[in-house]
Amino acid sequence: QVQLQESGPGLVKPSETLSLTCTVSGDSIKSHYWNWIRQPPGKGLEWIGYMFDSRSPSYNPSLRSRVTISIDTSKNQFSLKLTSVTAADTAVYYCAREGIVAAASLDYWGQGTLVTVSS
Amino acid sequence: DIQMTQSPSSVSASVGDRVTITCRASQGLGSWVAWYQQKPGEAPKLLIYAVSNLQSGVPSRFSGSGSGTDFTLTISSLQPEDFAIYYCQQANGFPYTFGQGTKLEIK
């Protein structure tokens, strides 16, 4: 059974770096595209970016200058770093797997973690 | 970016009703349109992928259709557990984008 679990600080100060990790179980992290999505409180979903194995990641242009996604195959984890955060980055952050059979769609999601940007 | 505009933004319906939610893309898409259901406090759940394919484990009362710029999600007979927010998503162009959501409420 595929499971994803986000972890990281729930509170980040303005101008600092948000760092989250997604631990994948029940699947190899080498086999899929792994995505980050966020959802500000009470709002809709925004795709942040994805990565596949050692290939170059793809990012949302609106965040590209501040975001880095990386993969640690030894730990079956992938990570998100978002620099210079502001209150507008307050959101629930989800990690998600892009399917193979369910191609170009997100078939498994983590439960999400709320990150609040505040001093 | 490809904009995905859902309509209606909210809809009230009763158990047993048939409901259709529409998603209009700002440019023509291929086959990479998906639909998700999100309940309060939960992650989105994949319902439909590649326009019309039912995700494993999803009840057959859910169906998807469409082509070009217009896509629909239909729930043939609403059940109590279907009251939620629904999102469309395109993966034909980067960045992936989602519709703004349709809130399905109990009448």
Side-chain angles (χ1 to χ4, degrees), chain A residues 35 37 39 43-47 50 58 60-61 94 98 101-107 109-111, chain B residues 1 32 34 36 38 41-46 48-50 55 87 89 91 94-96 98-100:
Chain A
N35 293 251
I37 301 96
Q39 184 172 37
K43 296 188 177 180
L45 300 162
E46 180 182 31
W47 180 76
Y50 74 24
S58 291
N60 192 320
Y94 295 101
E98 192 163 324
V101 174
S105 59
L106 303 168
D107 60 355
W109 295 63
Q111 64 185 24
Chain B
D1 297 5
W32 306 127
Y36 302 85
Q38 187 177 34
E42 298 184 2
K45 172 188 173 184
L46 177 65
I48 301 287
Y49 65 92
Q55 172 67 346
Y87 294 95
Q89 176 236 330
F94 285 102
Y96 292 174
F98 294 86
Q100 80 279 15

Side-chain angles (χ1 to χ4, degrees), chain B residues 45-99:
Chain B
K45 172 188 173 184
L46 177 65
L47 301 174
I48 301 287
Y49 65 92
V51 177
S52 59
N53 293 270
L54 194 66
Q55 172 67 346
S56 176
V58 174
S60 59
R61 63 181 179 271
F62 292 92
S63 63
S65 64
S67 64
T69 60
D70 295 324
F71 300 88
T72 60
L73 172 71
T74 299
I75 310 171
S76 60
S77 178
L78 277 173
Q79 299 301 301
E81 61 268 29
D82 299 338
F83 294 94
I85 298 176
Y86 293 85
Y87 294 95
C88 60
Q89 176 236 330
Q90 68 81 24
N92 274 80
F94 285 102
Y96 292 174
T97 48
F98 294 86

Side-chain angles (χ1 to χ4, degrees), chain A residues 18 20 37-41 87-93 113-117:
Chain A
L18 180 159
L20 296 174
I37 301 96
R38 69 181 183 178
Q39 184 172 37
D89 295 310
T90 293
V92 175
Y93 286 77
T113 187
L114 174 63
V115 179
T116 301
V117 178

Side-chain angles (χ1 to χ4, degrees), chain A residues 34-92:
Chain A
W34 300 96
N35 293 251
W36 286 99
I37 301 96
R38 69 181 183 178
Q39 184 172 37
K43 296 188 177 180
L45 300 162
E46 180 182 31
W47 180 76
I48 298 171
Y50 74 24
M51 190 164 184
F52 182 94
D53 199 8
S54 59
R55 299 179 189 177
S56 295
S58 291
Y59 301 131
N60 192 320
S62 67
L63 298 168
R64 183 177 288 138
S65 63
R66 300 194 291 130
V67 68
T68 302
I69 296 174
S70 59
I71 282 181
D72 186 338
T73 56
S74 67
K75 295 181 179 179
N76 226 44
Q77 295 176 334
F78 64 110
S79 299
L80 170 70
K81 291 190 186 297
L82 184 65
T83 62
S84 304
V85 298
T86 70
D89 295 310
T90 293
V92 175

